[in-house]
């Protein structure tokens, strides 16, 4: 972790309407606001994007219908059948790290869906390949994949705005998204009525560049400010809540902040559904802190190697 010195003692997550990204006269001010929020809070509610609340709700409906299927149906698209970590992950299932305890949730993973004759598949590029789609529920593939593509589009806009807001070329980050390994996870946390279970997701910072989250109306997401206080980030219908991950904090030279967050168990009497989308760049991206590009001795890391290592550590995979 680099020093997250711009983090502020905020008392709420800011809300920013990005519709003015389309207006050249208003775009610079929007980019500066976005960047400032990413520095001081690291979390932002995003409104004014192209997805309607109905489209977003439809993804939850499909997710609910899928997770409600009998286990043997879900196992037809088991993560262990995909060399690219696509498909269904059951409760507490985990990878090759014996110290990792697993997470008490079910997940379904989607990434860019490449046909078998795509050159990246032929070249056996890691993490590039086809999704696993269940035959049921009807409409799942279409609804979930449109959500994947739309959210990816919003992610591109956000990365352009952050670049512009930092005085960098618009495509400073997005030039590394020609064959992105971005990933959508549909999550279901089972209903937890035991009040001694305080957290559904333990405190963590995200590994990646940016995460675009859509959460159902259960609530419980909390974000840690500079003073160590946990600030609620309640659901806002139709709005994404996005956050900066460790990779972008490093890439931005520590300027943008990867903020600690967790999900509290609110004992809502229902399972919790959420849709984190991880806006990961190309497998072969070598990330260096801004301003150190010409310095061969400056620290850098390989995005794909890091992701593959992490995935193998936490998720089961083919053999
Ligand atoms: O489920 C949520 O709302 C948060 C999930 C999260 O923080 C993550 O997947 O990184
Ligand atoms: Fe997270």
């Amino acid at each position: 972790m680099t020093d997250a010195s711009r983090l502020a003692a905020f008392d709420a997550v800011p809300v920013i309407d990005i519709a003015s990204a389309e207006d050249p006269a208003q775009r610079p001010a929007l980019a500066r606001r976005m960047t400032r929020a990413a520095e001081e809070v690291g979390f932002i509610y995003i409104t004014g994007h192209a997805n309607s609340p109905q489209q977003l709700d439809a993804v939850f409906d499909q997710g609910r219908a899928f997770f409600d299927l009998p286990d043997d149906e879900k196992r037809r698209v088991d993560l262990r059948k995909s060399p690219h970590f696509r498909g269904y992950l059951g409760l507490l299932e985990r990878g090759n790290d014996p110290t990792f305890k697993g997470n008490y949730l079910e997940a379904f993973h989607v990434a860019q869906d490449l046909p078998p004759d795509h050159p990246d598949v032929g070249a056996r590029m890691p993490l590039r390949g086809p999704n696993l789609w269940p035959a049921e529920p009807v409409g799942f593939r279409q609804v979930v994949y449109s959500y994947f593509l739309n959210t990816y589009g919003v992610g591109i806009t956000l990365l352009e705005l952050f670049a512009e807001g930092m005085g960098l070329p618009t495509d400073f980050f997005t030039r590394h998204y020609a064959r992105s390994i971005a990933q959508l996870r549909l999550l279901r946390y089972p209903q937890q009525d035991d009040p001694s279970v305080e957290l559904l997701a333990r405190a963590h910072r995200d590994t990646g560049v940016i995460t675009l989250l859509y959460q159902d109306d259960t609530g419980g997401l909390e974000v840690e400010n500079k003073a160590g206080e946990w600030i609620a980030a309640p659901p806002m219908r139709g709005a994404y809540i996005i956050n900066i991950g460790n990779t972008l904090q490093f890439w931005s030279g520590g300027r943008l902040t990867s903020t600690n967050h967790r999900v509290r168990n609110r004992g809502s009497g229902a399972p919790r559904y959420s849709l984190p989308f991880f806006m990961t760049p190309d497998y072969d991206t070598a990330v260096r802190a801004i301003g150190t590009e010409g310095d061969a001795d400056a620290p850098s890391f390989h995005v794909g190697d890091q992701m593959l290592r992490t995935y193998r550590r936490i998720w089961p995979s083919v053999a």
Side-chain angles (χ1 to χ4, degrees), residues 113-307:
D113 207 2
L114 301 183
D117 60 352
H118 190 283
D120 291 3
V121 178
R124 296 179 170 272
M125 275 201 68
L127 302 178
R128 299 276 293 162
N131 286 320
L132 295 183
W133 293 113
E136 278 184 89
V138 172
F140 182 90
R141 176 179 185 158
Q142 195 273 324
V143 167
V144 172
Y145 201 55
S146 332
Y147 180 78
F148 175 88
L149 294 175
N150 292 344
T151 306
Y152 184 81
V154 177
I156 292 290
T157 301
L158 299 178
L159 288 172
E160 290 178 348
L161 290 169
F162 288 136
E164 291 171 20
M166 287 191 284
L168 300 164
T170 300
D171 72 345
F172 184 83
F173 299 114
T174 55
R175 65 179 70 141
H176 299 286
Y177 284 75
R179 33 169 47 118
S180 161
I181 54 169
Q183 184 187 54
L184 168 66
R185 305 186 73 207
L186 278 62
L187 303 183
R188 172 161 83 175
Y189 302 86
Q191 178 177 334
Q192 280 280 11
D193 296 321
D194 177 354
S196 73
V197 177
E198 287 181 26
L199 298 178
L200 298 183
R202 42 190 172 259
H204 68 282
R205 293 178 171 83
D206 290 352
T207 304
V209 174
I210 51 176
T211 307
L212 297 91
L213 179 77
Y214 194 62
Q215 48 173 335
D216 75 358
D217 55 15
T218 308
L221 181 63
E222 296 179 339
V223 179
E224 190 179 21
N225 73 10
K226 188 191 177 90
E229 296 156 340
W230 288 99
I231 306 301
M236 185 181 291
R237 187 155 190 261
Y240 285 105
I241 182 158
I242 68 119
N243 65 285
I244 307 300
N246 294 342
T247 300
L248 187 52
Q249 177 172 304
F250 176 82
W251 208 348
S252 67
R255 184 164 166 184
L256 306 185
T257 305
S258 174
T259 307
N260 206 22
H261 55 285
R262 67 184 187 186
V263 181
R264 176 176 287 285
N265 177 25
R266 313 230 308 169
S268 66
R272 179 172 196 274
Y273 293 85
S274 70
L275 306 168
F277 181 101
F278 299 98
M279 190 70 192
T280 315
D282 298 351
Y283 188 87
D284 282 325
T285 308
V287 175
R288 291 173 185 283
I290 287 164
T292 68
E293 290 85 356
D295 174 0
D297 296 330
S300 75
F301 68 89
H302 184 277
V303 165
D305 287 352
Q306 188 201 50
M307 295 319 279

